[in-house]
Amino acid sequence: MLTKVRPSVGTESPSASTDIAATGGSISVTINGQTSEALTIAAGTSLADLARQISSADMGVNASVVNDGTNYKLVLTSSETGATNGFTINNSLTN
């Protein structure tokens, strides 16, 4: 079973994976009622850096950067399969 995620869409999309994606804030993930520790994001974090930080934070998700042909997007997928591993993104990133 695939996890369906309603994306949060900003008004601007990065045109390169090295573009600044966040100027601060934090992000966490809730899976099966359990919320991960919030990951604090520093000012000047690029989209590629954000993906690396999320993937290495042991939050139960993997992050990657995907080019849609025009812009770059951050894509999160659950580390585990199955309906109980669907997740909610708790986002307070600023940009």
Side-chain angles (χ1 to χ4, degrees):
M1 176 175 183
L2 295 174
T3 300
K4 294 182 180 176
V5 178
R6 179 177 296 150
S8 173
V9 178
T11 57
E12 295 180 25
S13 293
S15 59
S17 64
T18 55
D19 285 356
I20 301 302
T23 58
S26 65
I27 189 169
S28 65
V29 177
T30 302
I31 301 174
N32 199 22
Q34 301 294 315
T35 301
S36 68
E37 184 174 331
L39 176 64
T40 301
I41 304 300
T45 299
S46 73
L47 192 59
D49 288 339
L50 181 58
R52 277 191 289 276
Q53 289 177 38
I54 291 170
S55 290
S56 66
D58 194 30
M59 298 169 70
V61 296
N62 298 308
S64 59
V65 177
V66 175
N67 183 304
D68 68 4
T70 304
N71 295 303
Y72 288 80
K73 311 286 184 182
L74 180 69
V75 176
L76 301 181
T77 56
S78 180
S79 298
E80 302 289 331
T81 60
T84 60
N85 292 303
F87 59 89
T88 302
I89 302 165
N90 310 302
N91 174 12
S92 67
L93 297 176
T94 57
N95 58 9

